[in-house]
Amino acid sequence: MAAVGEVSDEIKDVGQPAGGSLTSQNLPASVSETIVDQQPQSSEGEEKLRPTTNTLVPTAMGQYDGAEYVTIGEAHTPRMDNFKKVSVLPLIFLIFYEVSGGPFGVEDSVHAAGPLLALLGFLVFPFIWSIPEALITAEMGTMFPENGGYVVWVASALGPYWGFQQGWMKWLSGVIDNALYPVLFLDYLKSGIPALGGGLPRVIAVLALTLVLTYMNYRGLTIVGWVAVLLGVFSILPFVVMGFISIPKLEPSRWLEVNLHDVDWNLYLNTLFWNLNYWDSISTLAGEVENPKKTLPKALFYALILVVCGYFFPLLAGTGALPVDRELWTDGYFSDIAKMLGGVWLRWWVQAAAAMSNMGMFVAEMSSDSFQLLGMAERGMLPEFFAKRSRHGTPLVGILFSASGVILLSWLSFQEIVAAENFLYCFGMILEFIAFVRLRMKYPAASRPYKIPVGTVGSILMCVPPTILIGVVLALSSLKVALVSLAAVVIGLVMHPGLKYVEKKRWLKFSISPDLAVLDPSGHESTDTSLR
């Protein structure tokens, strides 16, 4: 495994032959894959990726297989080159905050199922869900290193209609998820500041927090990345201290407490699912990452370790050092545990860490959501104004839309938000699994700078356990959550033809960015319009 450090893009440029422009016919036969950027002067107006029979070498997660690219007519617009890309360390913490942000919010797993099942859940669940999702994100994110992420994966495999549905469901799921962080932030502070428990002070606090963090997103992704690093270190430190303080008080027998006849499976699974998903969210801003072919898999690997440890060890300390009263284990309870173990000073530190963590999760999620809208606009799925960037390089319209959604949904309770976003997220993940397998079958030789070392059958088998889990989560959802979520799905189903009608009538302008490539491994004129 290469150490986290400098990463350099290994791009092999092919010189232009004398007396003419460079085309795919000029390429040497040894080239295995070719990405041709769109050239407006071309008669076909399309980009092609052409494989030969060369075999891609599988790699372990976090490694790079050394696949080379031949870039034809590559020309980045000033809007991309003028902004600094995100490097490995900030990307690790952006993923950390997309997925976790620390143990804040895991308390309900103990409330729902007791210490033993809570601890086992955060050890076993990553193998069922987190690792497969992270691996798929690493492969597909390096195959399509552009903003839009999973929207482009699904569109290339299943067509633009389902690509749009994926974008709608995942964006809405992300906005619902982001509405949770002001709620969780205030739940941690209300024990020290009771006025924030409800009423007008809580409403004002939600609005003020949303405005401040939205402005931070507006100022630039690089700033958000390094802020995530600082917030991450600050959020993890109090639990390290709490862990050391708890060692003399640990009683291992407390970890084994379980009552299978008194388990709220719906709350338990939703809490695990919410705390260990969203690995794919980072793909929506892959176009802003420095050398994503190498950086993205490496960052996912380190973030996975950080997330699992960040959940398991605080739970180990909290349930082992104190008698467990399941009724008390609700969101915000870690601050009370900190007071009982270390005193008021540690409680205030945990509360401050919770505040910082929720800030980190908010800005990371909003970055993902807003860059997803930008990527969809660059693919012509949304009106062109969604692709406009601010002077800081950020998607201004996408940020405003995402912030508006957060404010509208922030009145929901913690449990309602978790259940609603999980329901929509499940539908989106089913489309991702289908797209992953279909692209393996449809484009087996397409360039995959990182490739999971399994064949087609292995790809299918890898998706089976998380798909079963999705079915269980959906089956356990309440009727209210199911109806609201299905209504949101129906809105997406009719929104796409509605936007196509608007485009046809020219009421709004739609366009496709000339910097994006169309995947076509046949070497002939592309008939795959999924990305067009």
Side-chain angles (χ1 to χ4, degrees), residues 1 10 22 38 55 129 136 195 245 248 264 299 320 324 346 348 367 371 398 404 420 428 461 466 478 499 506:
M1 177 76 61
E10 298 179 6
L22 184 58
Q38 187 174 12
T55 304
W129 183 266
I136 291 172
I245 294 175
D264 185 343
V324 176
L346 187 56
W348 279 106
S367 294
F371 273 102
S404 300
L461 293 176
S478 67
L499 286 174
R506 297 186 178 181

Side-chain angles (χ1 to χ4, degrees), residues 395-408:
L396 180 58
V397 177
I399 288 173
L400 292 176
F401 265 74
S402 298
S404 300
V406 168
I407 292 173
L408 290 173

Side-chain angles (χ1 to χ4, degrees), residues 108-115 117 257-268 325-327:
D108 276 317
S109 64
V110 180
H111 176 79
L117 289 182
E257 294 179 18
V258 63
N259 183 1
L260 295 177
H261 300 291
D262 184 22
V263 177
D264 185 343
W265 292 106
N266 184 27
L267 178 59
Y268 175 66
D325 182 351
R326 285 174 53 182
E327 294 303 315

